[in-house]
Amino acid sequence: MNAPLRSLARALLPRPLRRWLTRHQRLRFTGPYPDWPAALDASTGAPHVVLLSSVLSYVEHPWPILGRLAALPAAAWIVTRTCFSDTPADRVIVQQVPASIYRASYPAWVFAEEKYRRFWSERGASLSWHATVEGEANAGPLQFAFKNVLILPRGAPQETASTTPPAL
């Protein structure tokens, strides 16, 4: 396991799952969206861990993707650097790239945290929320926060390496 991935695993994954991943070195990555469905279908089995790092906010229709991924018999889902708000519905904002980097703007989803929580709890999963270095932001009057979420299926070990993992 490479150093950044080991650090992420240490911060978010339960100890038994970390040990299993380390012992078996069972990490493989699928191609970029939209190739991931074919990669999952062609694989020899379901993924053990699903990692969505700063990606859900930028896909056109995130809920069907989440539905498909939530149906996988994974040991954990890790969603990082994703925008959540306390509004009752998801919102789309326009994210501006600073001109010092390059001129661009992108649509981005800000997920309603309670809706997201309900989606996973209806599937029997537990969620563990963690801060990110990006912290809080706003788009006009909409306040939101970037968060990391560790999602574990019912019956998974709930022990984590630390009660306050470092921001990613």
Side-chain angles (χ1 to χ4, degrees), residues 33 36 50 52 55-57 59 61-72 77-79 82 84 90 111 115-117 119-120 123 151:
Y33 180 85
W36 68 269
V50 175
L52 300 167
V55 67
L56 276 181
S57 294
V59 296
H61 302 290
W63 287 105
I65 291 171
L66 270 175
R68 174 116 186 241
L69 293 172
L72 295 171
W77 295 263
I78 304 169
V79 178
T82 301
F84 292 95
D90 300 333
F111 294 98
K115 178 181 173 183
Y116 194 84
R117 204 182 289 271
F119 171 85
W120 285 103
R123 287 154 179 78
I151 302 148

Side-chain angles (χ1 to χ4, degrees), residues 85-91 110-116 118 142:
S85 72
D86 60 1
T87 60
D90 300 333
R91 302 271 305 271
V110 176
F111 294 98
E113 187 171 320
E114 184 54 36
K115 178 181 173 183
Y116 194 84
R118 198 170 43 252
L142 177 65

